PDB file of all heavy atoms in Angstrom:
ATOM      1  N   PRO K 358     113.499 115.667 135.544  1.00  0.00           N
ATOM      2  CA  PRO K 358     112.633 114.603 135.744  1.00  0.00           C
ATOM      3  C   PRO K 358     112.023 114.584 137.182  1.00  0.00           C
ATOM      4  O   PRO K 358     112.644 115.044 138.148  1.00  0.00           O
ATOM      5  CB  PRO K 358     113.573 113.409 135.576  1.00  0.00           C
ATOM      6  CG  PRO K 358     114.812 113.882 135.068  1.00  0.00           C
ATOM      7  CD  PRO K 358     114.831 115.310 135.335  1.00  0.00           C
ATOM      8  N   ALA K 359     110.887 114.170 137.348  1.00  0.00           N
ATOM      9  CA  ALA K 359     110.121 114.080 138.599  1.00  0.00           C
ATOM     10  C   ALA K 359     110.993 113.214 139.609  1.00  0.00           C
ATOM     11  O   ALA K 359     110.897 113.501 140.784  1.00  0.00           O
ATOM     12  CB  ALA K 359     108.688 113.586 138.392  1.00  0.00           C
ATOM     13  N   THR K 360     111.680 112.244 139.133  1.00  0.00           N
ATOM     14  CA  THR K 360     112.362 111.325 139.964  1.00  0.00           C
ATOM     15  C   THR K 360     113.746 111.847 140.454  1.00  0.00           C
ATOM     16  O   THR K 360     114.437 111.218 141.146  1.00  0.00           O
ATOM     17  CB  THR K 360     112.610 110.030 139.189  1.00  0.00           C
ATOM     18  OG1 THR K 360     113.365 110.265 137.975  1.00  0.00           O
ATOM     19  CG2 THR K 360     111.231 109.307 138.949  1.00  0.00           C
ATOM     20  N   ALA K 361     114.106 113.046 139.917  1.00  0.00           N
ATOM     21  CA  ALA K 361     115.431 113.554 140.266  1.00  0.00           C
ATOM     22  C   ALA K 361     115.519 114.413 141.508  1.00  0.00           C
ATOM     23  O   ALA K 361     116.535 115.082 141.759  1.00  0.00           O
ATOM     24  CB  ALA K 361     115.991 114.444 138.974  1.00  0.00           C
ATOM     25  N   GLY K 362     114.461 114.590 142.180  1.00  0.00           N
ATOM     26  CA  GLY K 362     114.473 115.339 143.440  1.00  0.00           C
ATOM     27  C   GLY K 362     114.846 116.838 143.326  1.00  0.00           C
ATOM     28  O   GLY K 362     115.503 117.401 144.129  1.00  0.00           O
ATOM     29  N   GLY K 363     114.420 117.455 142.216  1.00  0.00           N
ATOM     30  CA  GLY K 363     114.719 118.916 141.979  1.00  0.00           C
ATOM     31  C   GLY K 363     115.943 119.163 141.309  1.00  0.00           C
ATOM     32  O   GLY K 363     116.300 120.268 140.988  1.00  0.00           O
ATOM     33  N   THR K 364     116.695 118.148 140.977  1.00  0.00           N
ATOM     34  CA  THR K 364     117.970 118.388 140.112  1.00  0.00           C
ATOM     35  C   THR K 364     117.550 118.583 138.727  1.00  0.00           C
ATOM     36  O   THR K 364     116.625 117.968 138.179  1.00  0.00           O
ATOM     37  CB  THR K 364     118.831 116.972 140.239  1.00  0.00           C
ATOM     38  OG1 THR K 364     119.232 116.889 141.567  1.00  0.00           O
ATOM     39  CG2 THR K 364     120.081 117.210 139.337  1.00  0.00           C
ATOM     40  N   LYS K 382     119.514 121.706 143.301  1.00  0.00           N
ATOM     41  CA  LYS K 382     118.384 122.692 143.642  1.00  0.00           C
ATOM     42  C   LYS K 382     118.957 124.066 144.046  1.00  0.00           C
ATOM     43  O   LYS K 382     118.469 125.033 143.660  1.00  0.00           O
ATOM     44  CB  LYS K 382     117.588 122.059 144.762  1.00  0.00           C
ATOM     45  CG  LYS K 382     116.585 121.034 144.350  1.00  0.00           C
ATOM     46  CD  LYS K 382     115.936 120.182 145.462  1.00  0.00           C
ATOM     47  CE  LYS K 382     114.969 120.972 146.231  1.00  0.00           C
ATOM     48  NZ  LYS K 382     114.227 120.035 147.157  1.00  0.00           N
TER      49      LYS K 382
END
Side-chain angles (χ1 to χ4, degrees):
T360 57
T364 299
K382 283 167 76 171

